Amino acid sequence: MQFDEFTPITKDEWKCLIVKSIKAETEAEKILFYEQKLVQKPEPGVEIHPFYTAEDVAELDYLKGFHRLWTQTKKTTGWMNVAAVHVYDEKTANAEAHEALARGADAVEFNLWNRPGGKPMIEGGVTEEHFFDFTTLLEGISPLQRPVYFQLRQSNLSNFGQYLEQFGGDVKNAMGGITFLETTTWHLASEENDKNEFAAAFQNSIFSNVKSPLLGKPVPTGREGLGGGLPYFKPLLIEPVGGWFEDEDGAMETFALSQTVLLSNQLQAAIRLVEQLAERGVPVTQTLPQVGFVVDMGNHYFLEIAKLRALRLLWWQIGRLYDQNLNLVDVFIHARTANAVPPEKEPYQNLISNTTQAMSAIVGGCDALTVASPPPVGEGSGMGLRVARNVSAILKEESYFDKVTDMGAGSYLIENLTHQLAKGIWEKLPFWAKNA
């Protein structure tokens, strides 16, 4: 017997059967129960229905085309297992990084944002808490051999550049990226000239310092920029930015931190920075490919998958608006899980939560993954860090999640959610961003 011998059933007919089976006195009560209890509304403008059919993706053929483009562009499957290392002193952080790399991590990310303050000023007017000895921090860990990521302040750039000078022309092979603290806050400045000052300082530090080893191909101003010369290094990784967005009239609106608002804010931050650098002579075709995104994962499994796919889709679309020949579908996305409850209270619940968040990130197509460390019994022994690394390793080596690009493609639910989120994020982008 062939499937086409059965009479097709529409989605409305399936819904009627479900409503009919609900135990309630009236038809209105049954429909109300269906709409309120069976249809999830995780955030404004997003609905998750109890079932999906081909009708739900009948008009979403553009996602099939996007999937083909993504799978054809992406050179490898899988993701990097990135271990997070908080830097309070360079020697300790270096030892932690070596431990992580020796025990399964593919790369490390050094967080240099949180060194305790109150230190005296040192040479060059930089406070000591913003000065790091990168030679000690990276002893035995070469960014030419494995990716190294940094969460930096702009004030860290000068001594970071001095560290890279030792590699000479080989610096072009450096791998990793930088998330600057300033990129998460600069566009919140109340005065436009404050934004301009930050963009100018940012450009001078990254794209204009010809004495720095962070060099690239010449730009029209005669200066040189990081982007063209370090093809494996992402200097513009944009952190999540929440709590506000700019409407079509230019007014600043505050909302709960929904996924559409968070991702719209990240895209706004990236576009604003690209535009400000373009005004200073750095071509958008040079900066756009150097932009990547850091995404915090949550516990709504399917929604988290869809948000990574929507972010990739929209950044590709933004690139096309700047230049029809620019393909940004392979934008770098670093996903980070988070403990759902205080880790000292529920370490094992957090282990499960971090695992499902990691699965969402991988199915959604992350390029790098950092799993939060749930400190179980024996905190301080390193067991929590080991567990975090092994979550990623098990999903790769035993569950084979690294064998397919865009695993969510074709799922009626995930495709529909991707469309809903992409539409909602795009609608929240202000006029200037869509027409930049």
Side-chain angles (χ1 to χ4, degrees):
M1 180 176 290
Q2 302 296 320
F3 281 106
D4 57 12
E5 296 181 28
F6 294 95
T7 302
I9 300 179
T10 66
K11 182 168 184 176
D12 284 340
E13 289 174 320
W14 279 116
K15 180 178 176 180
C16 287
L17 289 173
I18 295 173
V19 170
K20 183 178 179 180
S21 68
I22 294 173
K23 298 185 183 301
E25 292 185 2
T26 67
E27 186 72 11
E29 289 176 337
K30 292 181 177 183
I31 294 174
L32 185 64
F33 182 92
Y34 180 93
E35 296 294 339
Q36 292 186 347
K37 301 296 184 180
L38 301 186
V39 177
Q40 299 179 46
K41 297 178 181 179
E43 60 180 74
V46 176
E47 292 187 348
I48 299 178
H49 292 264
F51 72 99
Y52 286 85
T53 72
E55 293 179 38
D56 293 290
V57 296
E59 298 181 0
L60 303 183
D61 281 346
Y62 77 95
L63 289 175
K64 295 179 182 178
F66 181 75
H67 167 74
R68 286 193 295 271
L69 177 65
W70 183 7
T71 54
Q72 291 168 5
T73 302
K74 190 171 176 64
K75 298 178 177 63
T76 60
T77 59
W79 66 96
M80 285 186 294
N81 183 355
V82 182
V85 178
H86 291 269
V87 182
Y88 297 103
D89 73 84
E90 289 83 348
K91 288 186 177 180
T92 301
N94 176 265
E96 291 179 6
H98 274 286
E99 173 78 7
L101 293 171
R103 296 184 179 277
D106 302 311
V108 292
E109 180 183 47
F110 292 104
N111 184 341
L112 286 77
W113 288 358
N114 299 320
R115 176 176 285 194
K119 304 292 185 180
M121 300 292 286
I122 60 174
E123 183 180 356
V126 179
T127 57
E128 187 175 335
E129 68 267 23
H130 294 172
F131 182 87
F132 291 87
D133 180 357
F134 285 95
T135 300
T136 301
L137 180 65
L138 297 175
E139 183 178 359
I141 304 173
S142 171
L144 305 188
Q145 297 175 348
R146 64 173 72 240
V148 183
Y149 296 89
F150 301 90
Q151 292 176 286
L152 299 180
R153 299 172 186 266
Q154 182 196 334
S155 56
N156 301 138
L157 267 178
S158 59
N159 53 313
F160 181 59
Q162 291 168 7
Y163 164 78
L164 290 181
E165 285 178 357
Q166 64 182 292
F167 299 114
D170 290 337
V171 74
K172 65 180 182 296
N173 297 317
M175 297 175 287
I178 302 174
T179 304
F180 286 98
L181 175 65
E182 288 83 357
T183 62
T184 68
T185 58
W186 72 277
H187 57 289
L188 299 176
S190 58
E191 299 295 334
E192 191 66 28
N193 63 331
D194 292 337
K195 300 175 184 178
N196 291 334
E197 287 176 6
F198 171 77
F202 192 79
Q203 183 220 352
N204 289 334
S205 296
I206 297 183
F207 292 97
S208 306
N209 184 359
V210 296
K211 295 183 180 180
S212 169
L214 302 178
L215 300 180
K217 59 188 178 182
V219 297
T221 58
R223 296 170 175 173
E224 295 183 323
L226 182 152
L230 299 180
Y232 312 111
F233 199 88
K234 299 291 183 183
L236 301 176
L237 296 177
I238 308 298
E239 282 269 342
V241 182
W244 66 275
F245 80 89
E246 188 174 354
D247 66 17
E248 292 285 350
D249 299 321
M252 302 305 293
E253 299 287 347
T254 301
F255 283 83
L257 302 183
S258 67
Q259 301 297 349
T260 52
V261 172
L262 282 170
L263 295 179
S264 176
N265 287 348
Q266 273 188 283
L267 291 172
Q268 287 185 52
I271 295 169
R272 182 78 83 177
L273 184 54
V274 168
E275 288 288 309
Q276 294 281 2
L277 291 170
E279 292 176 6
R280 287 161 177 80
V282 184
V284 294
T285 53
Q286 181 179 343
T287 54
L288 284 169
Q290 301 310 312
V291 171
F293 296 94
V294 179
V295 180
D296 292 330
M297 303 304 294
N299 286 314
H300 202 299
Y301 188 78
F302 295 110
L303 191 66
E304 300 300 314
I305 295 172
K307 80 177 183 184
L308 265 63
R309 301 178 82 240
L311 177 61
R312 188 177 298 277
L313 169 66
L314 291 176
W315 190 242
W316 170 80
Q317 174 67 19
I318 288 168
R320 296 271 292 175
L321 291 176
Y322 277 104
D323 185 334
Q324 284 290 312
N325 297 317
L326 197 58
N327 182 7
L328 301 179
V329 69
D330 206 18
V331 60
F332 182 83
I333 297 177
H334 181 180
R336 294 197 295 235
T337 72
N339 290 316
V341 294
E344 65 276 5
K345 294 183 178 180
E346 295 289 345
Y348 303 109
Q349 179 180 335
N350 279 321
L351 174 59
I352 296 172
S353 173
N354 279 310
T355 301
T356 59
Q357 289 178 40
M359 292 167 66
S360 294
I362 296 164
V363 176
C366 72
D367 301 284
L369 174 64
T370 297
V371 178
S373 170
V377 177
E379 180 180 0
S381 65
M383 179 61 71
L385 296 173
R386 177 183 175 186
V387 168
R389 289 192 302 270
N390 285 350
V391 166
S392 189
I394 288 172
L395 291 175
K396 181 180 294 185
E397 303 297 338
E398 298 187 18
S399 301
Y400 304 110
F401 271 44
D402 64 330
K403 303 305 180 186
V404 180
T405 297
D406 195 16
M407 284 186 280
S411 162
Y412 297 159
L413 166 59
I414 293 174
E415 298 281 41
N416 193 272
L417 272 179
T418 300
H419 174 72
Q420 288 187 65
L421 283 175
K423 183 173 181 290
I425 295 164
W426 190 256
E427 289 175 348
K428 284 183 170 56
L429 286 177
F431 179 83
W432 64 264
K434 298 175 187 176
N435 294 273

